[in-house]
Amino acid sequence: MLKIGIISEFNLSNVNYGNRLQALALNMYLNSHFDDVMAVSLYFDDLNDSIRTKRKSILKKIMSKLNYEYNKITNKSSLVTDVKLRLEKFNEFSKNYTVLPSHALTKQELLNSDYDIFISGSDVVWCQIDGVFIKNRFLDFETKKNFRKISYAASFGRDYIPKENIALVKRCIKDYDFVSVREKSSIEMLKKIGIDNVKHVLDPTLILGRAEWEKIEKSPKAKLPLEYIFVYMLGGSKEDRITITNIARNNNLSIITIPNAFGTKSDVDNDFGDFQLNDCSPDEWIWLIHHAKYIITDSFHGVAFSTIFEKPFIVTTRKTTCTEFNNRILDFLNTINQVDKMVDLKNINMLGDLNWDYSSINKILKEKVALSKNFLEKALEK
C-alpha cells in the first residue's frame, strides 16, 4: 500500500472554508479513487520550519504578525465566542471527512516518517513571503525512507518569488518527480527561472463530482429564505456592502452572509446582511452555495463551488494588506471563459441581465478534470 503524506496550508487553527475543503478534496479523491493508497493530510506543531533569506528583524516582524493573527483567532479576538464555536465545527468536520494523523506532527516525527510519497498541494502552499522560505511546503527534507515528490495544484497565490528565494525554489522544485500548479501564470513564472515540464491542473475541489459534495453538505439549523444571495466576502469595503445591499433590494432578494470570514473582527461586516451565520461549518457553507439563487464573492473557492453547483455568480476584486491575490480567480475565470463575471459592483443592477453559460463551462471543466485526474494517475503509478 502506498502511504502518502499531503502537505499544504491545511491546519486545525484557521476558519478558512476553502482551505479545509481543498484539503478534504485531495485527501478524499486519493483514498477513494485509488486502490492500495492511504493518504493523510499532515499538519504540524512547528509548521514554520523556515529559513530566513533576509535579515533577522524582518523575519521577527513577520513571525510576530503571524502569531498575532493566530492569537486573535484562538483566544484574543473580540469575536472569541463565535470564532471558537466556528473553529470547533471546522475541526469536527475535518476529523469526520479527512484522514488525519492522530496529532500535530513535530519536525522530528516528520523526519522519522516512512511515507512513500509526499504531495505539496493544494491551495497557496507555495506562497512567498519576503524574508522567509518554508522548507516543509517544498518538501525540502529527508526521511528514513526515500520518497517520491509530487506537487498537485500548488499555488504561489500571486506571480511572485522574492529574489532571495529564487535559487531555493528552483533547487527544490527541480527535485520533484511530478510538478503541477493551479494557475497557468505560475507555469510561465517557473519557466523564467529554468523550471520546465510543469502541468496545469484544477484545484482538488473541482475533481470531486457534484454528487460527492451533495453527500457532504448539511442544511444550517437557522430558518432561511428560499431565495437569497449568498455573499462570501473575505475583503472588500463598507461601500461594497452597501452596494450589494442595494443590488439585493433591486432584485427582491435577502442576503445571507458569514461575517468576519477570516475569523478576525471586520467592522465592515457590522449590520451587513439579512441573515448572519457566525458559526457556519464547512458542510453548511457548501449547502449555502448549492441552494443560493446568486453568489457574490471575492474568494477563489467561492467561485469554484459556484461552478460545481452551476450557480450564477459575480466576483469582486479583493486586496490584502500586502498585495492583490486576484490572479488566482482571474486565472480560473479565464480557464472557464467567464472573465466578464469579475465586475465593478456599481455597474450591476439586475442580476438576471448577466449570462452564465454552464453548458460551455461544464464542457471546459470536463476536459480539465480529465487532464487533472490523468496527472495524478501517472504521478502515483508504482
Side-chain angles (χ1 to χ4, degrees), residues 341-378:
K341 301 310 181 297
M342 181 169 273
V343 301
D344 183 340
L345 290 171
K346 293 178 182 178
N347 296 329
I348 299 297
N349 184 19
M350 301 307 295
L351 292 168
D353 293 341
L354 294 169
N355 177 53
W356 294 265
D357 181 5
Y358 270 101
S359 61
S360 173
I361 293 171
N362 289 337
K363 183 177 180 181
I364 295 168
L365 286 178
K366 183 178 180 180
E367 180 180 342
K368 293 298 295 185
V369 167
L371 290 171
S372 301
K373 291 180 176 180
N374 185 56
F375 173 86
L376 283 171
E377 288 171 3
K378 287 186 176 180

Side-chain angles (χ1 to χ4, degrees), residues 7-11 44 47-49 119-121 124-127 129 133-141 150-151 154 176:
I7 295 177
S8 72
E9 278 271 300
F10 171 78
N11 60 71
F44 305 89
L47 182 62
N48 294 307
D49 178 27
I119 298 179
S120 297
V124 289
V125 62
W126 285 347
C127 183
I129 302 173
F133 181 82
I134 302 177
K135 298 171 65 177
N136 286 353
R137 298 181 185 179
F138 284 86
L139 309 185
D140 188 22
F141 53 82
I150 299 169
S151 72
Y176 276 66

